[in-house]
Amino acid sequence: MRPSAALLLLVPALLSAQAGGLDAGRLDPAWFGPGAAFQPSKALGFQWLKPGLDLRGRAVQLGSWEAPAWVLGKRDLKDQTFLTRVEGAFPAALDRGLRRGLKGSVPVSTASGDVHLVGRIVDAIGQADDYMAAGRVALSFDLKLVDGKTGELLGAFHDTLESGAPDYIPGRFELWSEDLGRLLAVPAAPKEGAKRVQGPAPAPAPPALPAPATAKPVPAANPAFDLKDALSRIEGLRRDGLLSDEEYQALRKKAEEKAGSLR
């Protein structure tokens, strides 16, 4: 069986079990530490927040970005050229977007703060140096939020941004950073089973009555399906040379049909 044909057999798993993909290998959990348990996010790619995290009364310091990691191995010259072209704009874009999203609820500074936000770029895909060349650029990055005193991980984020032109990527990252600010402005949900300290303990619930013999089981809800994430994975297979154009179009169509059927 040809490799491309074998890949087509894996399409159902690709489309239905996206959460375990870790962005086609671009997300390296080791950089964040064992505390992060990533979940897919429509706005931020992959994210994790410490349960109950509340940044009110604290301040965020934007740390210097680490050197690019190239977790999939160093790419071609065009990819490194693209990264060099855009990476200098990322710290300022993060600063502007984060401030807009937080709306003053948490101070942001590059000089001081008891919570540190650190970032790095982990992969980049540029266009050929040819004005006739078609295609999209993509850039993958990590951000982690850590306690400035203890080093405890408070939040972890990873995403891959794509665009038809290199100069659009910093703007897209600024919008992404604004979404991050909105998330951090709202206290996170506490851990399940956390003790409540207010009010008397509730009375024990009476035992549940057995269901009537004629009761029918409630059908399970359709699993969540993220079309954007599925298309990103399919695009990654094509970039890695594992799909022909015909197979790429077929997979895109299948993903779009699946998304339409779940609406």
Side-chain angles (χ1 to χ4, degrees):
M1 181 182 293
R2 294 189 305 119
S4 57
L7 283 169
L8 291 175
L9 297 178
L10 298 176
V11 169
L14 172 67
L15 300 181
S16 62
Q18 302 160 26
L22 298 179
D23 197 13
R26 297 178 182 87
L27 198 169
D28 178 12
W31 187 71
F32 299 95
F38 287 94
Q39 295 293 330
S41 164
K42 289 186 178 180
L44 300 174
F46 292 87
Q47 70 177 54
W48 173 84
L49 279 180
K50 178 184 176 182
L53 177 66
D54 188 348
L55 294 182
R56 290 176 297 184
R58 307 191 71 173
V60 174
Q61 179 177 351
L62 303 180
S64 300
W65 282 60
E66 294 186 2
W70 298 105
V71 296
L72 296 181
K74 241 175 184 179
R75 293 187 177 270
D76 295 338
L77 178 60
K78 66 180 179 62
D79 306 321
Q80 299 179 47
T81 301
F82 162 57
L83 173 60
T84 301
R85 178 173 176 177
V86 300
E87 65 175 332
F90 266 45
L94 175 62
D95 192 344
R96 291 190 299 267
L98 194 64
R99 290 175 187 272
R100 284 202 307 270
L102 289 169
K103 294 182 178 179
S105 61
V106 181
V108 178
S109 170
T110 58
S112 62
D114 61 331
V115 178
H116 298 172
L117 186 60
V118 182
R120 68 171 187 171
I121 293 172
V122 296
D123 192 36
I125 301 174
Q127 293 174 334
D129 188 15
D130 180 352
Y131 75 95
M132 293 295 290
R136 298 176 67 80
V137 297
L139 190 137
S140 305
F141 57 89
D142 296 332
L143 283 170
K144 60 183 174 183
L145 193 70
V146 298
D147 188 290
K149 292 183 178 179
T150 66
E152 178 189 8
L153 183 68
L154 305 177
F157 312 92
H158 169 93
D159 204 358
T160 294
L161 302 180
E162 297 185 5
S163 177
D167 293 336
Y168 294 151
I169 288 292
R172 290 205 58 193
F173 178 66
E174 186 169 329
L175 294 175
W176 186 96
S177 302
E178 186 173 351
D179 287 333
L180 174 60
R182 293 192 187 100
L183 175 69
L184 297 179
V186 179
K191 288 184 179 179
E192 293 185 4
K195 292 183 178 180
R196 297 181 179 274
V197 296
Q198 295 181 352
L209 297 175
T214 56
K216 295 181 179 180
V218 179
N222 288 328
F225 177 75
D226 191 334
L227 177 60
K228 176 184 174 183
D229 189 47
L231 294 179
S232 176
R233 290 170 176 276
I234 294 168
E235 180 70 30
L237 292 175
R238 186 181 71 161
R239 284 196 303 265
D240 293 338
L242 298 177
L243 292 177
S244 67
D245 289 342
E246 181 179 353
E247 291 162 344
Y248 166 73
Q249 295 298 335
L251 294 187
R252 281 186 61 92
K253 181 178 180 182
K254 189 174 183 70
E256 290 166 352
E257 290 174 348
K258 182 175 178 68
S261 68
L262 296 177
R263 289 175 184 168

